[in-house]
């Protein structure tokens, strides 16, 4: 946006022809996007403005040196960092460079707060629940949890309430009936999200996991079962996509926060 265009925009606000909110939208639409160019990547530094949250780094396939460069650039831009699918070797290098980082070996994630930021101490609780059918589904569920913590939410984590022991879910119903969204990670036949959906009035985000014997086809059986759910409030993300489930649940909670 040129100086003349900016002056005209301010003048329209001064005269009452545009509200402040309308002017902000126009400025954002015409402002050049900020990009951090590195030898190995082009980082979207405007994503938090457009989408509410900064760019997330998919670590698999990247070198450790590249990850350090990317996280450095994001932190310099005052953005808190989340990396998914990070290996132990990559995490070791990143932790040496950023000792404030939080590495979750089970989830294969790493979070790096801004310097001196304490967003982990100001989490909103009671808005989202994360359930697993079995303990084998925990890595995927924990990826969702780390994503939600990065977004500012502390989910209620309920483990091992699969359909093989239906009484276990019933015992936990008070914990899931007043939340904004529920994430359910399940492998095998993937039945748990449908059962959960029949007990609650909020969106249920089903995550098929690659847990099961041969006919589970690496999570395809659970995926197809969840896609065919007769519970109207169940929606489905990709196999093992804990990050995607967490992000969507966080956005739902955000919208509920704005409404309330």
């Amino acid at each position: 946006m040129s100086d003349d265009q900016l002056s005209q925009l301010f003048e329209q606000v001064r005269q009452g022809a545009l509200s402040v909110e309308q002017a902000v939208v126009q400025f954002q639409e015409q402002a050049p996007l900020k990009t951090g160019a590195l030898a190995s990547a082009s980082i979207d530094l405007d994503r938090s403005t457009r989408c509410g949250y900064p760019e997330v780094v998919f670590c698999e396939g990247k070198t450790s040196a590249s990850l350090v460069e990317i996280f450095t650039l994001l932190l310099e831009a005052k953005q808190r960092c989340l990396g998914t699918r990070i290996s132990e070797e990559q995490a070791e290098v990143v932790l040496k460079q950023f000792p404030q980082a939080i590495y979750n070996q089970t989830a294969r994630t790493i979070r790096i707060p801004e310097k001196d930021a304490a967003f982990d101490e100001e989490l909103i609780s009671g808005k989202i629940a994360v359930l697993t059918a079995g303990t084998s589904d925990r890595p995927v569920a924990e990826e969702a949890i780390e994503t939600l913590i990065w977004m500012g939410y502390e989910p209620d984590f309920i483990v091992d309430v699969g359909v093989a022991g239906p009484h276990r879910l019933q015992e936990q119903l008070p914990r899931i009936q007043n939340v904004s969204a529920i994430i359910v990670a399940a492998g095998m036949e993937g039945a748990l999200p449908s059962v959960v959906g029949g007990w609650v009035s909020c969106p249920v985000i089903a995550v098929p996991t690659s847990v099961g014997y041969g006919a589970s086809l690496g999570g395809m059986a659970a995926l197809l079962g969840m896609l065919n759910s007769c519970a109207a409030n169940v929606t489905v993300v990709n196999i093992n996509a804990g990050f995607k489930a967490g992000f969507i649940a966080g956005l739902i909670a955000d919208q509920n926060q704005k409404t309330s």
Side-chain angles (χ1 to χ4, degrees), residues 182-184 193-194 197 202-208 223 226-227 229 231-238 245 248-249 252:
I182 299 170
I183 296 168
V184 182
S194 294
C202 67
V204 176
I205 303 164
V207 193
L223 172 62
M226 292 172 180
L227 286 171
S229 172
N233 54 344
V234 172
T235 189
V236 189
V237 297
N238 207 347
I248 294 171
I252 292 170

Side-chain angles (χ1 to χ4, degrees), residues 53-68:
Y53 293 93
E55 183 170 5
V56 175
V57 182
F58 183 75
C59 301
E60 198 170 283
K62 294 180 174 65
T63 66
S64 299
S66 176
L67 292 178
V68 169

